[in-house]
């Protein structure tokens, strides 16, 4: 009896000892950008990449951990150590993630793998802190532009062509653009669309909430000559109370008063654009990295889309530009980060052009093609010429939108790109949201009234610098 | 010398048996205590400590004592949220406190299909609050495709801005909250109404009292204890309004017209990564609710002393 009892007591110990022998000693790398289970084609592709990687790097174990970044849960995930080793976030987030130490710096490992110098410098700077430490690598770049629904514009006679054949004329005989190239022309096109459609379709929408109003306004304001942050005696300060920003808001009010914007609703967020571009507006301000939503969410035929550069204002032409990053969990070890960065090569997302990365790049395009997704060129996050030439070759082969309607955006982005304001950008957008919303609600505000509001907002903003 | 020893022996035996008895009691209570400690007391204490510290993310960097409070008092968002929270309270007492009493009265007077009405009235309480908030966002959509604007158009009226109107947003959110919660509260009132002695009503009728006089002189005075408990519960609940403005107005509205203190605390913590400011805000909210509750209990105590049945 006693022997049986002793055996019963020691059984769990024996089992646990036996299982110790089976423990996986490999370095575990959790991949947050792993697709969700229902995306079967993508999962199959990732499994191939995992198999190749683990064969070439037997010391590593790749673990699928699909993770959708969420601002409300990232703190809890970071503090409890449950973030994947590597995950993708929005371009607006690194500053907050770095400040709160939810992600780890990876400078040395990135340098060790020779990725650092191949990184597009302006994208790299958005992922660095004030001491020059790097906290991520860019997936790809984004730039603001104007996405046009050519079918709607053609239907109401504002763009030449034939929407039944998906053919449109965006250039004249001398190859000059027929689309709006200035903010004034954009306003006129929007107002005309509202008028000819009998107000059933508006020109566009202007974001005004969730800090996205300030975000878009900042892009417009650069074209009106505004400098939203300036250095005074070596210290950075907010400069929201400026004539240039007043002029930008006056333009916004003109946009509203002219009828180019919806008259009955003023609160819009960035997620609204794909609810409106289908049949309710002619064009929207958007980043090139989300254009596919026009097809997948708004159900627009990809042949009816054009993406043109941000228009020119009185003081220049600018497009807000940045990189969509991959970042790393704060509790990830150097070895895990090294593994995650190496895995990017097997996804075709590192600057290294090897047989395996070439294969992955082709597989990525093929999968998108099979899924009938719009395939667009991307803004390259790396400066490696070999890599970029190969990516260009693949673009030529796989891009399935009419590049005639997109080419000017990609040709001009390098000349007109402008990075986000350097300090407290999110807090600044939050304050500017109020100015945007007030201008939309009351499009007949005088410049003096706007300036009074901006003075108040600027003093609030400068509290952050103090 | 012996006597005290016997006494001590008895005492030890008694104590041991008490301990034995208590051990089983503590054993039964310990899971509950541990859960309470883990989910209530520790977070409460952490929030209290954090409100006096500087944090990076959720990690404490050092004590700053009252600096967080100074910072939030200087923040226009806090000032706006403070005002709004009391505005929610006022509208809630105006709309949300009266309507369940009226519904309860109507239910108590209903003769036919009483069960059906009771279920119908209670039904919104069984729907998830988030679903209701989203549903009402569609109803209050200010665009031409909004449901209520189409009704207004059909009736020949001009469309309204609904949730985009800073003057309307809080009352509309309170209407949404009331729609959801009034049924359950009305059933509590109904139960209270049914406990009133019907002899009072018969006597009142004989004396020639009309319906209004019966309500004001018999019904309402008889349910004062229920009224006062539901009043204080409503105050506590409304002061913590959170997800309705969060869902219905994109996180409190760009102009902060519907921002509440709890929503601001959430934004400080999860949007701005400022757990310290968030904790300070919730501490202030806690103190406000505590103060209101103390005022209520003091008033109730004073009324009881004067012989009122409260």
């Amino acid at each position: 009896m006693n022997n049986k009892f002793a055996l019963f007591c020691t059984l769990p110990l024996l089992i646990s000892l036996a299982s110790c022998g089976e423990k996986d000693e490999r370095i575990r790398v959790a991949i947050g950008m792993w697709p969700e289970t229902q995306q079967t084609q993508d999962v199959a592709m990732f499994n191939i990449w995992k198999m190749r990687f683990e064969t070439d790097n037997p010391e590593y174990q790749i673990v699928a951990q699909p993770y959708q970044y969420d601002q409300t849960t990232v703190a809890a995930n970071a503090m409890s150590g449950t973030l994947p080793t590597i995950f993708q976030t929005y371009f607006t987030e690194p500053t907050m993630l770095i400040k709160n130490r939810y992600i780890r710096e990876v400078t040395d490992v990135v340098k060790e793998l020779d990725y650092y110098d191949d990184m597009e410098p302006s994208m790299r700077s958005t992922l660095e802190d004030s001491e020059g430490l790097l906290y991520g690598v860019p997936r790809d770049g984004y730039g603001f532009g104007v996405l046009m629904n050519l079918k709607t514009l053609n239907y109401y006679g504002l763009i030449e062509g034939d929407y039944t054949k998906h053919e449109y004329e965006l250039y004249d005989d001398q190859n000059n653009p027929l689309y709006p190239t200035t903010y004034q022309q954009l306003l006129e096109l929007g107002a005309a669309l509202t008028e000819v459609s009998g107000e059933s379709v508006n020109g566009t929408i202007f974001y005004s909430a969730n800090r996205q109003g300030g975000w878009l306004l900042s892009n417009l304001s650069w074209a009106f000559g505004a400098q939203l942050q300036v250095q005074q005696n070596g210290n950075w300060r907010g400069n929201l109370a400026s004539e240039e920003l007043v002029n930008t808001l006056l333009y916004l009010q003109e946009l509203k008063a002219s009828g180019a914007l919806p008259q009955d609703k003023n609160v819009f967020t960035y997620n609204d654009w794909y609810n409106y571009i289908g049949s309710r507006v002619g064009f929207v301000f958007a980043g090139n990295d989300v254009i596919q939503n026009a097809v997948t969410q708004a159900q627009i035929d990809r042949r009816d889309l054009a993406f043109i550069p941000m228009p020119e204002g009185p003081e220049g032409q600018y497009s807000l530009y940045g990189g969509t990053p991959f970042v790393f969990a704060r509790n990830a070890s150097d070895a895990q980060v090294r593994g995650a960065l190496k895995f990017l090569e097997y996804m075709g997302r590192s600057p290294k052009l090897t047989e395996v990365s070439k294969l992955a790049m082709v597989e990525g395009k093929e999968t998108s093609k099979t899924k009938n997704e719009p395939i667009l060129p991307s803004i390259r996050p790396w400066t490696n010429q070999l890599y970029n030439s190969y990516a260009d070759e693949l673009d030529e082969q796989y891009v399935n939108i009419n590049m005639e309607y997109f080419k000017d955006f990609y040709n001009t982005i390098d000349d007109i790109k402008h990075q986000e304001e350097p300090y407290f950008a999110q807090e600044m957008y939050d304050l500017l949201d109020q100015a945007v919303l007030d201008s939309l609600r009351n499009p007949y505000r005088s410049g003096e009234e706007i300036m009074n509001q901006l003075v108040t907002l600027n003093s609030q903003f400068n509290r952050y610098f103090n | 010398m012996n006597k005290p020893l016997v006494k001590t022996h008895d005492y030890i035996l008694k104590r041991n048996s008490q301990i034995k008895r208590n051990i089983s009691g503590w054993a039964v209570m310990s899971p509950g205590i541990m859960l309470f400690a883990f989910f209530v007391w520790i977070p409460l204490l952490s929030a209290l400590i954090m409100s006096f510290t500087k944090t990076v993310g959720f990690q404490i960097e050092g004590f700053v004592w009252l600096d967080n409070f100074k910072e939030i008092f200087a923040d226009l968002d806090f000032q706006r949220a403070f005002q709004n929270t009391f505005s929610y309270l006022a509208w809630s007492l105006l709309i949300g406190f009266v309507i369940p009493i009226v519904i309860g009265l109507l239910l108590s007077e209903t003769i036919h299909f009483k069960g059906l009405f009771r279920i119908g009235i209670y039904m919104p309480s069984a729907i998830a609050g988030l679903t209701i908030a989203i549903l009402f966002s569609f109803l209050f959509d200010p665009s031409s495709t909004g449901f209520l604007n189409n009704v207004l158009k059909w009736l020949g009226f001009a469309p309204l801005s609904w949730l985009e109107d800073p003057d309307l947003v809080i009352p509309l959110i309170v209407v949404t909250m009331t729609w959801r919660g009034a049924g359950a509260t009305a059933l509590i009132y109904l139960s209270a109404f049914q406990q009133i002695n019907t002899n009072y009503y018969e006597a009142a009728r004989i004396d020639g009292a009309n319906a209004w006089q019966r309500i004001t002189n018999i019904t309402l005075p008889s349910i004062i204890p229920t009224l006062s408990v539901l009043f204080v519960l409503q105050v506590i609940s409304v002061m913590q309004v959170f997800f309705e403005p969060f869902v219905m107005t994109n996180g409190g509205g760009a102009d902060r017209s519907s921002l509440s203190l709890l929503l601001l605390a959430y934004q400080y913590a999860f949007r701005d990564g400022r757990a310290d400011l968030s904790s300070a805000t919730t501490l202030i909210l806690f103190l406000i609710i505590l103060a209101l509750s103390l005022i209520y209990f003091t008033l109730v105590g004073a009324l009881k002393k004067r012989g009122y049945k409260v």
Side-chain angles (χ1 to χ4, degrees):
Chain A
M1 187 68 181
N2 279 345
N3 285 344
K4 279 182 186 172
F5 182 71
L7 184 66
F8 178 76
C9 290
T10 50
L11 201 60
L13 182 69
L14 290 171
I15 292 168
S16 61
L17 282 173
S19 63
C20 280
E22 290 167 17
K23 193 183 169 193
D24 200 328
E25 300 273 323
R26 292 181 295 172
I27 302 161
R28 189 178 181 276
V29 178
I31 305 295
M33 52 279 194
W34 195 279
E36 296 286 349
T37 323
Q38 63 271 25
Q39 295 170 284
T40 48
Q41 287 159 316
D42 295 278
V43 170
M45 180 174 70
F46 268 74
N47 274 324
I48 293 170
W49 294 343
K50 168 186 157 80
M51 193 188 66
R52 281 187 201 136
F53 180 82
E54 287 178 346
T55 308
D56 293 349
N57 303 275
E59 69 276 27
Y60 282 106
Q61 180 198 13
I62 295 294
V63 178
Q65 192 183 333
Y67 173 75
Q68 179 66 48
Y69 178 82
D70 182 359
Q71 203 183 42
T72 59
T73 54
V74 69
N77 285 138
M79 301 310 288
S80 58
T82 53
L83 282 173
T85 313
I86 183 170
F87 61 98
Q88 192 180 309
T89 181
Y90 304 117
F91 51 87
T92 47
E93 297 303 292
T95 315
M96 190 276 282
L97 295 173
I98 295 167
K99 190 178 82 179
N100 292 317
R101 299 179 202 151
Y102 295 155
I103 54 175
R104 64 156 284 176
E105 68 95 9
V106 291
T107 324
D108 291 339
V109 188
V110 169
K111 281 182 177 169
E112 177 195 313
L113 292 172
D114 285 336
Y115 290 7
Y116 191 85
D117 293 328
D118 284 338
M119 216 177 281
E120 208 280 325
S122 56
M123 287 191 202
R124 188 174 63 207
S125 68
T126 62
L127 296 169
E128 286 176 332
D129 66 6
S130 53
E131 289 164 18
L133 295 172
L134 186 71
Y135 284 80
V137 291
R139 186 197 69 155
D140 52 26
Y142 78 92
F144 246 160
V146 179
L147 182 67
M148 300 171 81
N149 185 337
L150 296 174
K151 184 179 176 183
T152 302
L153 292 166
N154 177 246
Y155 179 82
Y156 289 108
L158 296 168
I159 290 270
E160 293 295 317
D162 181 353
Y163 70 86
T164 59
K165 294 176 182 165
H166 310 285
E167 288 171 1
Y168 308 97
E169 289 173 23
L170 288 191
Y171 300 91
D172 65 13
D173 296 341
Q174 278 78 48
N175 212 25
N176 296 314
L178 293 170
Y179 60 74
T181 54
T182 66
Y183 280 108
Q184 191 54 38
Q185 287 173 6
L186 196 73
L187 183 148
E188 286 161 11
L189 178 70
L193 180 59
T194 307
E195 195 183 335
V196 296
S197 68
E199 296 185 13
S200 63
V201 181
N202 285 109
T204 188
I205 53 171
F206 203 94
Y207 316 123
S208 54
N210 290 359
R211 301 178 165 184
Q212 290 147 358
W215 179 50
L216 177 55
L217 185 77
S218 69
N219 193 148
L220 263 70
S221 74
W222 298 325
F224 284 80
Q227 283 182 286
L228 302 176
Q229 295 181 14
V230 290
Q231 257 189 318
Q232 285 173 353
N233 308 322
N235 296 320
W236 283 91
R237 307 286 296 167
N239 185 40
L240 305 184
S242 69
E243 284 301 328
E244 292 81 4
L245 193 53
V246 171
N247 290 336
T248 317
L249 286 162
L250 284 172
Y251 169 77
L252 175 60
Q253 291 181 185
E254 207 184 330
L255 206 60
K256 176 73 190 269
S258 70
L261 299 177
Q263 300 299 297
D264 48 10
K265 188 169 157 64
N266 297 313
V267 179
F268 293 99
T269 63
Y270 193 43
N271 288 338
D272 283 320
W273 76 256
Y274 51 79
N275 296 324
Y276 276 76
I277 189 69
S279 59
R280 293 159 84 173
V281 296
F283 52 89
V284 289
F285 296 101
N288 67 303
D289 56 337
V290 291
I291 296 173
Q292 67 275 12
N293 288 344
V295 178
T296 56
Q297 306 276 341
Q299 310 292 321
I300 300 177
D301 190 303
R302 59 175 181 259
R303 293 167 294 182
D304 295 329
L305 290 171
F307 194 58
I308 59 170
M310 287 297 276
E312 195 174 346
E315 298 296 330
Q317 187 182 14
Y318 297 97
S319 170
L320 185 68
Y321 173 85
T324 308
F326 290 127
V327 289
F328 302 84
R330 60 188 234 146
N331 58 339
S333 65
D334 279 358
Q336 285 176 307
V337 172
R338 199 173 292 114
L341 285 167
K342 278 184 185 172
F343 186 69
L344 291 182
E345 186 184 326
Y346 288 73
M347 290 172 61
R349 293 274 183 193
S350 82
K352 300 293 162 205
L353 190 68
T354 57
E355 285 311 310
V356 79
S357 70
K358 281 175 162 177
L359 204 55
M361 286 162 86
V362 172
E363 285 162 349
K365 300 281 187 202
E366 281 292 336
T367 306
S368 297
K369 194 176 155 186
T370 315
K371 287 162 64 187
N372 200 25
E373 283 178 346
I375 303 173
L376 300 142
S378 62
I379 298 176
R380 309 276 180 243
W382 308 108
T383 53
N384 180 340
Q385 280 306 314
L386 279 175
Y387 175 90
N388 288 342
S389 304
Y390 187 70
D392 288 344
E393 267 178 48
L394 289 182
D395 279 352
E396 271 183 40
Q397 200 180 331
Y398 284 97
V399 163
N400 59 9
I401 41 106
N402 189 343
M403 272 310 284
E404 274 299 297
Y405 308 153
F406 285 72
K407 65 179 182 187
D408 281 357
F409 172 81
Y410 288 99
N411 291 340
T412 55
I413 188 69
D414 276 339
D415 302 324
I416 66 172
K417 66 186 180 186
H418 190 302
Q419 275 179 259
E420 203 169 57
E421 295 294 338
Y423 299 103
F424 308 109
Q426 295 302 314
E427 287 78 3
M428 186 183 78
Y429 298 153
D430 195 33
L431 292 166
L432 288 178
D433 266 1
Q434 297 173 46
V436 169
L437 189 60
D438 284 353
S439 284
L440 294 177
R441 278 184 177 152
N442 181 6
Y444 301 104
R445 287 199 301 172
S446 66
E448 196 184 337
E449 282 175 273
I450 297 172
M451 181 55 98
N452 288 340
Q453 183 185 27
L454 291 178
V455 167
T456 310
L457 294 178
N458 197 46
S459 79
Q460 274 183 271
F461 184 44
N462 276 325
R463 284 195 307 121
Y464 294 104
F465 291 94
N466 295 336
Chain B
M1 282 299 278
N2 283 341
K3 257 193 171 178
L5 268 178
V6 171
K7 250 191 174 175
T8 311
H9 184 251
D10 286 349
Y11 172 74
I12 289 168
L13 278 177
K14 201 176 166 188
R15 218 180 94 186
N16 281 350
S17 86
Q18 262 180 354
I19 287 171
K20 268 185 189 168
R21 237 191 3 253
N22 286 349
I23 280 175
S24 57
W26 281 107
V28 170
M29 284 196 299
S30 57
I33 289 173
M34 279 193 287
L35 283 174
F36 246 101
F38 189 74
F39 289 110
V40 180
W41 297 328
I42 294 173
L44 207 69
L45 194 66
S46 303
L48 183 70
I49 294 168
M50 263 189 201
S51 60
F52 296 102
T53 59
K54 174 159 180 55
T55 58
V56 171
F58 281 79
Q59 277 179 339
I60 293 171
E61 294 280 289
F63 277 90
V64 292
W65 304 113
L66 295 176
D67 284 2
N68 291 330
F69 295 93
K70 285 179 197 163
E71 193 173 340
I72 56 173
F73 285 134
D75 187 354
L76 292 184
D77 285 357
F78 177 83
Q79 293 166 19
R80 192 70 198 268
F82 191 86
Q83 283 174 8
N84 287 346
T85 304
F86 279 94
S87 181
Y88 278 111
L89 180 62
W91 280 106
S92 163
L93 294 180
L94 202 68
I95 302 170
F97 191 64
V98 179
I99 286 177
I101 301 173
V102 176
I103 296 173
L105 268 173
L106 292 174
L107 275 177
S108 70
E109 296 299 320
T110 307
I111 297 165
H112 300 295
F113 307 114
K114 205 166 187 170
L116 183 74
F117 283 122
R118 267 200 299 239
I119 291 170
I121 288 291
Y122 187 73
M123 202 64 95
S125 302
I127 305 173
L130 211 58
T131 313
I132 291 171
I134 293 168
L135 179 79
F136 273 78
S137 305
F138 291 131
L139 288 183
F140 296 137
D141 183 352
S143 69
S144 53
T145 54
F147 177 79
L148 287 178
N149 270 348
N150 271 301
V151 172
L152 287 177
K153 194 177 165 187
W154 183 68
L155 293 170
F157 293 106
L160 291 176
S161 301
W162 300 110
L163 292 169
E164 285 192 12
D165 185 337
D167 297 326
L168 276 182
V169 64
I170 290 180
L172 290 175
I173 289 174
V174 170
V175 165
T176 309
M177 292 159 70
T178 305
W179 187 83
R180 181 182 170 229
T185 318
L187 291 185
I188 298 173
Y189 282 123
L190 176 66
S191 149
F193 292 143
Q194 284 171 344
Q195 285 169 30
I196 301 171
N197 191 337
T198 50
N199 291 341
Y200 296 154
Y201 291 107
E202 280 166 23
R205 275 199 193 95
I206 290 165
D207 290 344
N210 60 25
W212 178 248
Q213 284 170 325
R214 288 198 300 273
I215 290 170
T216 51
N217 292 305
I218 301 171
T219 312
L220 292 180
S222 304
I223 60 156
I224 281 179
T226 311
L227 272 175
S228 57
V229 168
L230 289 176
F231 176 83
V232 79
L233 287 178
Q234 175 142 357
V235 170
I236 291 171
S237 154
V238 171
M239 294 299 285
Q240 298 178 62
V241 58
F242 171 71
F243 70 83
E244 287 89 353
F246 181 70
V247 174
M248 296 171 75
T249 58
N250 281 309
D255 56 354
R256 322 292 195 255
S257 55
S258 62
L259 186 69
S260 67
L261 279 174
L262 204 59
L263 183 53
L264 180 67
Y266 166 84
Q267 290 182 347
Y268 278 144
F270 295 107
R271 189 192 63 184
D272 305 339
R274 295 292 306 270
D276 44 7
L277 297 190
S278 176
S279 301
T281 308
T282 49
L283 183 64
I284 288 169
L285 183 61
F286 169 74
L287 291 176
I288 293 169
I289 294 172
L290 186 71
L292 289 174
S293 303
L294 284 177
I295 291 169
Y296 164 78
F297 286 116
T298 312
L299 278 174
V300 166
L303 287 172
K304 272 183 179 169
K305 267 186 188 171
R306 292 186 178 201
Y308 288 98
K309 192 185 165 192
V310 181

